[in-house]
Amino acid sequence: MKIQYLGAFLLLTTFCFGQNMCVGPEAFVPRKDNYSFSTINFNVPAFDYRQKMDSVSFEGSLILPKDGFDKVVIIKPGTGYNTRNTHSPLAEALLDNHTAVFRYDERGKGNSKGEGGGDMTYTVTMMGEELVSAFNMVKKHPDLQGKKIGIIGHSLGGIAVLEALEHEINPDFLVLFAAPVVTGKQLFLYQLQHSENGFNDYFLYDTLEEKQKVCSELIDFYLANQKEKSFWKVYKKEAKKLGYTKKRYATHFRFLLGGGLDRDLVSKDRIDWLKNTTIPVFYMIGAEDVLVDPVANTTRLNNLANPAISATVLEGENHFFSDGESTPYAIHEQPKQKIVEWIVKQ
């Protein structure tokens, strides 16, 4: 089965719980009597004049264990039509281990406003700004004073976490799972190695070597010329020069000419932050992940020799640590317990 592409990740229209529906979080968390639920709204001011981002209001749910807790985590899912109800099995496991959980409807989903959520116009820059506002709101919440605050980022959500950290927020701990920490270029080139990955639709060539060569050259050209006022013209000229014509892609837009997510991704590399951080970080990835390279990403982290970072590869696990498309957030017991146990120790 082909995995559909969305700026290096998945457009999970069938992977979400309550997609764009105004459904309360209670519907997705069993044993409701054990927790207290509250609805929280926060605002993200206008930013990035180039993307013309207006001020947007967001809504989320804070769930507190009634028998006490000393930590709260914000869960940031990956690409897709994500409401506050994603990663509910993980959320429930955290709640059962005395950890409060905050999740919010993403832009244009559930009860949050705005446009662009879940498609190619929803960039990492946008997600990072939104996560900063969510973190600052949680930090000021009266029920959370004196509690440790952590962030969990899955897949593209992990990149959004690293983007948010550029704004000098100060979480007490981080969990990144199935999140790329290599360069955007390395991320895309890895995805071309797997035929089941829909990213291959961007490059209709006979061999992997041809695909990777053209992809690499287009990325290098973009990075060298992204600030050009007439970038679109020079990029199209370069693409034509490389023979990257209409017959070479089966997507609506050719590579790097879509809504902005892929361009945003190739320009991000937060390895310097990871190299220097003293915030405890737990990194986990599946050995069977065809979207994010388990070898290259863990090797890059391990080479940092940063004692604050712990990285592990789980054999037999895929990008979602679950059984398939019908239950993408039904995380398997082993990875779920590894995340929970690590957080409990923080």
Side-chain angles (χ1 to χ4, degrees):
M1 180 180 293
K2 179 178 285 188
I3 299 176
Q4 295 302 311
Y5 167 76
L6 173 60
F9 293 88
L10 302 177
L11 177 56
L12 307 174
T13 54
T14 61
F15 282 10
C16 58
F17 299 105
Q19 305 180 24
N20 210 22
M21 293 171 59
C22 300
V23 178
E26 298 89 343
F28 300 93
V29 177
R31 299 193 294 278
K32 305 172 189 60
D33 293 341
N34 293 350
Y35 321 117
S36 62
F37 299 80
S38 59
T39 298
I40 300 178
N41 296 93
F42 63 96
N43 191 67
V44 179
F47 67 94
D48 198 337
Y49 70 93
R50 291 166 299 180
Q51 297 188 47
K52 299 180 180 178
M53 300 313 306
D54 296 327
S55 177
V56 176
S57 62
F58 288 77
E59 184 176 293
S61 293
L62 177 65
I63 312 177
L64 308 178
K66 290 182 178 179
D67 59 352
F69 64 98
D70 59 359
K71 303 178 185 72
V72 57
V73 296
I74 302 169
I75 299 179
K76 175 60 183 171
T79 298
Y81 291 86
N82 293 306
T83 69
R84 71 190 73 182
N85 299 313
T86 53
H87 290 292
S88 285
L90 177 58
E92 183 187 0
L94 290 164
L95 290 164
D96 287 344
N97 283 272
H98 308 288
T99 301
V101 175
F102 178 71
R103 294 171 294 170
Y104 57 94
D105 297 329
E106 293 182 338
R107 178 179 295 265
K109 306 303 168 188
N111 288 342
S112 293
K113 309 302 180 183
E115 298 178 352
D119 61 28
M120 286 292 286
T121 64
Y122 200 18
T123 66
V124 175
T125 298
M126 295 163 63
M127 295 177 195
E129 293 277 356
E130 294 161 5
L131 187 53
V132 168
S133 293
F135 179 87
N136 289 333
M137 177 277 303
V138 166
K139 189 173 182 178
K140 295 176 182 177
H141 195 279
D143 292 339
L144 302 176
Q145 298 306 298
K147 310 297 184 182
K148 289 186 176 181
I149 305 174
I151 308 176
I152 299 175
H154 172 244
S155 189
L156 185 59
I159 303 181
V161 171
L162 295 176
E163 178 73 11
L165 290 164
E166 292 293 306
H167 296 267
E168 298 182 353
I169 61 173
N170 57 338
D172 294 293
F173 57 89
L174 301 174
V175 173
L176 305 175
F177 67 113
V181 295
V182 295
T183 66
K185 180 178 179 179
Q186 289 173 292
L187 172 66
F188 285 113
L189 293 179
Y190 175 73
Q191 293 193 355
L192 286 174
Q193 297 177 28
H194 300 275
S195 60
E196 68 270 39
N197 188 330
F199 182 53
N200 280 269
D201 290 343
Y202 271 97
F203 297 95
L204 304 182
Y205 293 86
D206 294 332
T207 67
L208 173 61
E209 290 72 22
E210 289 177 295
K211 294 179 183 181
Q212 291 187 323
K213 179 177 183 297
V214 175
C215 179
S216 179
E217 291 182 2
L218 289 173
I219 291 174
D220 289 344
F221 185 84
Y222 169 71
L223 293 175
N225 296 275
Q226 58 184 307
K227 295 183 179 180
E228 289 281 343
K229 290 183 178 180
S230 57
F231 168 74
W232 309 119
K233 291 182 180 179
V234 296
Y235 180 82
K236 289 179 179 178
K237 184 177 180 180
E238 180 68 12
K240 183 178 180 181
K241 175 183 173 183
L242 295 174
Y244 186 53
T245 59
K246 279 190 174 182
K247 68 178 182 179
R248 294 301 189 183
Y249 61 93
T251 52
H252 189 65
F253 295 102
R254 72 182 75 183
F255 183 51
L256 297 177
L257 287 183
L261 176 56
D262 47 6
R263 295 192 303 278
D264 208 28
L265 282 171
V266 299
S267 65
K268 305 294 184 185
D269 186 3
R270 301 305 186 201
I271 198 64
D272 286 342
W273 184 92
L274 289 163
K275 179 180 180 180
N276 298 311
T277 188
T278 58
I279 297 173
V281 179
F282 177 58
Y283 183 89
M284 183 176 71
I285 192 167
E288 306 303 320
D289 197 323
V290 299
L291 292 169
V292 181
D293 187 344
V295 175
N297 282 276
T298 52
T299 298
R300 197 180 199 204
L301 286 177
N302 290 332
N303 286 343
L304 297 177
N306 185 338
I309 301 175
S310 173
T312 185
V313 179
L314 294 190
E315 295 299 325
E317 295 290 352
N318 59 24
H319 188 67
F320 288 93
F321 301 89
S322 69
D323 288 341
E325 293 188 6
S326 60
T327 56
Y329 294 118
I331 184 171
H332 291 148
E333 190 64 24
Q334 184 190 20
K336 180 172 66 177
Q337 285 304 117
K338 281 187 173 293
I339 292 173
V340 172
E341 289 171 4
W342 185 86
I343 289 175
V344 167
K345 294 177 181 177
Q346 302 312 303

